Amino acid sequence: MSSPEETALLNSLREILRGLCQGVIPNLEGLPQVQDPALGDLAAEVFRLGRLYAESHAFVLQLAKGNLEVEGPVRNHFAAPFKQLQAELRHLTWQIQEIAKGDVGQRVAFSGDFSRAINAMIEALGEKKQIDEQNQANAQLFRTIFETSADGLMITNLQGWVLYPSRSGMEMFLLDESDFLDGINLFDHIHPGDQERARQSLAKLMEGGETGFSEYRVLRKDGSQFWNESHAAVLTDVHGEPDRLFIVFRDITQRKADEERLKTYSEELERLNAKLSEMATMDALTGVFNRRSFDVRLQQEMQRAIRFGGRFCLVMFDIDHFKNFNDQYGHAVGDLVLVSVCGAVGLHIRQVDGLYRYGGEEFMVILTETSLDQGLQVAENLRRLVEELRLMHHEDALPPITASFGVCCSSDLEHLGADGLVNAVDSAMYEAKAAGRNCVRMAPSSHT
Amino acid sequence: MATTEFDWSQLGDIQAGRPNLGGDTKVAVYRLMQYTLRSVLEKEFGEERMRLLLIQAGLKAGSEFCRNLLDTSLPLGAFMAQVQARLLELSIGVLKVEKVDTECMNFVVTVSEDLDCSGLPVGGNTVCDYDEGFIQGIFETYTGQAYEVKEVDCWSTGERTCRFNIHQLP
């Protein structure tokens, strides 16, 4: 038979166990003392079980509320797995704090899908961190370029409103920070005469064309003008749509001035070179070719005749009694005679022929692709031309002048060189002198 | 009696020495050595002295481990992540950091699946004395400061994970 105390204890133990099965925290106030030691031991174990459960339950409730700092019960098998979970959560908390500080080397292990999700997030953060670092480096590079570039740099929107100017760019335009309060439009600073061209260039850029470097006149804030060489490129937004312009430009005012000066110098140099060339090949008094040019031309004609089987005539003439004329009327009139004769003869020979002052009052004419008969005819025409010249000096008529002519043909004197031809025509001319002057004589042919 | 100071080279060239069996062995073999040694030391010197000797051995091992296998130039967070990775790589245990007090440089860490104790019969007392010394050795070598490490939870006390309080000594 059980005592009333034992019966009450058994009922109490039954209540505790039933409650535990239903998750009810039992009332464990005071373990009743009973006579039966076995029942007493059993009651003690059930009460201990109840306390372990209660401790564990209280601990888990705190964990469920997110209190990770709660102290877990020790030597409590019910609580052990939850303490392990608490350790996991605390560690995750620390890891996330470390990740937030930038340590993307953290990895979560042994938590299944949760580990994979967190690790994927950490990797994504790591990639973002790399991109952020690269972006920071790029931004620093960008700022450095904008701060140190000697060329002006600007980023504008597509309407030309300046969004980001470089220091040197602001200096070129004489702008300061205050000017940007109301906005700066680049087109307002382009010379009115160049604005249309600038807009056309922008339109071409927007169509995907290349504009290369362009030169514009640009107006500074104070209204002064400078020459500007610029190059523009279209910047796009994240969707690849054009949204800004990047413009690099430099002040080329000095270069323009230098180019202008250089152009003037070049023209002057060209003129001087032409003059020098003329002086080297022309006779300063008469304006016809000089002796040196004759020598060169004679060699060319001879080579051409040999190479192509051609021929040419050499006509030499000397103004008759020129010394007396000079003595009587003076050198100025003598010069007038020389110039007049050259002028007349020069007008009556073909463009392919050449008139040369050989020395003093002696002249040579080279008649290209001309036979001896034709040469003699030309010489006769020239003789008559000289004879018919009527020269005036200070409104006084000068006496008529005449000239003696010698003619030779290269085809009739094939064995002779240049010197030989000159000697032959010189001899013919002196024959004309000996024959009484004002006549034409030909050099004897080597074929006869 | 002359003492032999431990040197990392005493571990030998395992690859050369065990070309077929390699560097790994069974956890049971490790525990066989530790718990027989523990038993002998306890019988020889008593429990307290045995625990102290194991802590000293662990301290030496932790120091050498840190010096030879860890990068002590890393900042704290990265260093702890590195310790965690090394312990995983060597199958020593799953180290997790629960708390860090960077001002006082005090820590609470847990080790699950611990090489020394996980799966042991519950005996009522903590047994990870060697681990206490090992962790102490790592922290002292990394920080250059003296530390005290106390295991507060252990598989052998009925927990599922070992928990260590790590305190920097003044």
Side-chain angles (χ1 to χ4, degrees), chain A residues 287-304:
Chain A
V288 301
F289 291 112
N290 61 15
R291 168 79 176 265
R292 187 172 165 276
S293 296
F294 171 76
D295 292 338
V296 172
R297 173 75 186 270
L298 180 59
Q299 286 295 339
Q300 289 170 345
E301 284 295 329
M302 291 193 67
Q303 285 168 8
R304 195 176 59 79

Side-chain angles (χ1 to χ4, degrees), chain A residues 339-390:
Chain A
V339 169
S340 300
V341 167
C342 285
V345 171
L347 286 174
H348 281 80
I349 60 174
R350 299 171 300 181
Q351 279 193 334
V352 293
D353 300 329
L355 172 61
Y356 304 87
R357 187 176 182 190
Y358 194 66
E361 65 274 25
E362 287 182 341
F363 296 89
M364 288 283 191
V365 180
I366 293 178
L367 303 170
T368 192
E369 285 302 315
T370 303
S371 67
L372 181 61
D373 288 344
Q374 291 168 329
L376 286 169
Q377 185 59 55
V378 171
E380 179 55 29
N381 291 345
L382 295 178
R383 185 198 65 74
R384 204 176 305 128
L385 180 71
V386 172
E387 187 182 47
E388 290 172 356
L389 279 176
R390 293 294 174 262

Side-chain angles (χ1 to χ4, degrees), chain A residues 23-35:
Chain A
V24 177
I25 304 301
N27 180 5
L28 301 170
E29 293 296 321
L31 176 62
Q33 297 298 312
V34 290
Q35 292 290 325

